[in-house]
Amino acid sequence: MAFIFKEDDFAFANKGEGINDSYDISKESFAKDVFTRFMKNKGAVISLVCIVIIILMAVFAPYINEHTYKSMIIEHASLPPKIPILEKLGICDGITEGVDMYEKAGADGSYYLFGTDTLGRDLWTRTWVGTRVSLYIAGLAMLIDMIIGMSFGLVSGFFGGKVDLVMQRFIEILSGIPNMVIVTLLVLVLKPGILSITVALLIKGWIGMSRVVRAQALKLKEQEFILASKTLGTGNANIILDEVLPNILGQVIIMSMFSIPDAIFTESFLAFIGLGLQAPMASLGVLINDGFKSFLVFPYMVAIPTTVLAILMLSFNIMADGLRDAFDPKMKEM
């Protein structure tokens, strides 16, 4: 018996009467969605602004006066900060305990915005030149994570088996060697400086990233869309690049951002203990080490580079946290 439908047997549902469409998919792209969530995080946005300002200062600030990071004027040694506008308010006026240090040193008309060190070198120029070193370390750490760590983790996690076994044993051997031992050996072979720190990061700086990427690859390779690609005869290289990598890119970016403060601190710590850059080269760690020797007498020498270093590291940490929440809002609830 055939069923005959009449015109009034069916009617269109009126969505205005409280019927929800559970399949309403946002028209925004994933990138725009991430950007929108990131911009709603005020702390992350402020941190990004601070990082941009520090980068601009590191690039342009050393050129606003005639001093270089290594030029010395012994007569101007240990002068406190003096800033043109603030000096009229009695702040940063170059006066210490009622004595005009600039007049005493014969430096009338000179302005050292961050003061000078014990050798008469301009701390303004040295601080921002030293910040360039920290930013170089930040970029290097991200590059190492994105190239070495990500590649190592993808290969180890995707192929698994004996390949994964051998690669993970290699990482365990590297992880068992203390960073200080590696840096000390490099200092014996190479001269203390930026090269030894760069090599040290190349040796161990990517291990954390590789473990995160490996864990993600192990989880994704058992998913249906990966198995479908294999069934259709897609090569392993194409599966890794076209299927696995796009799905872990968010975690890779987040992990890279979190590794930057660690790399900056490592460089500063090594410079502080004398295994990093050497005088007259400037880095924030070198400036903190030099200022620490005169901390009780001239506290500004250590306070200024420490403040810049703290703002830089804190900004990267907060921005990384904001990126994590933007890429995966569910992680904020965990």
Side-chain angles (χ1 to χ4, degrees), residues 80 93-101 296-297:
D93 53 4
I95 297 176
T96 303
E97 297 180 354
V99 179
D100 190 336
M101 302 301 294
L296 296 178
V297 183

Side-chain angles (χ1 to χ4, degrees), residues 41 69 179 228:
N41 190 328
Y69 72 91
N179 289 330

Side-chain angles (χ1 to χ4, degrees), residues 303-317:
I304 292 172
T306 301
T307 301
V308 175
L309 178 64
I311 293 174
L312 189 62
M313 293 181 60
L314 185 63
S315 297
F316 273 115
N317 265 318

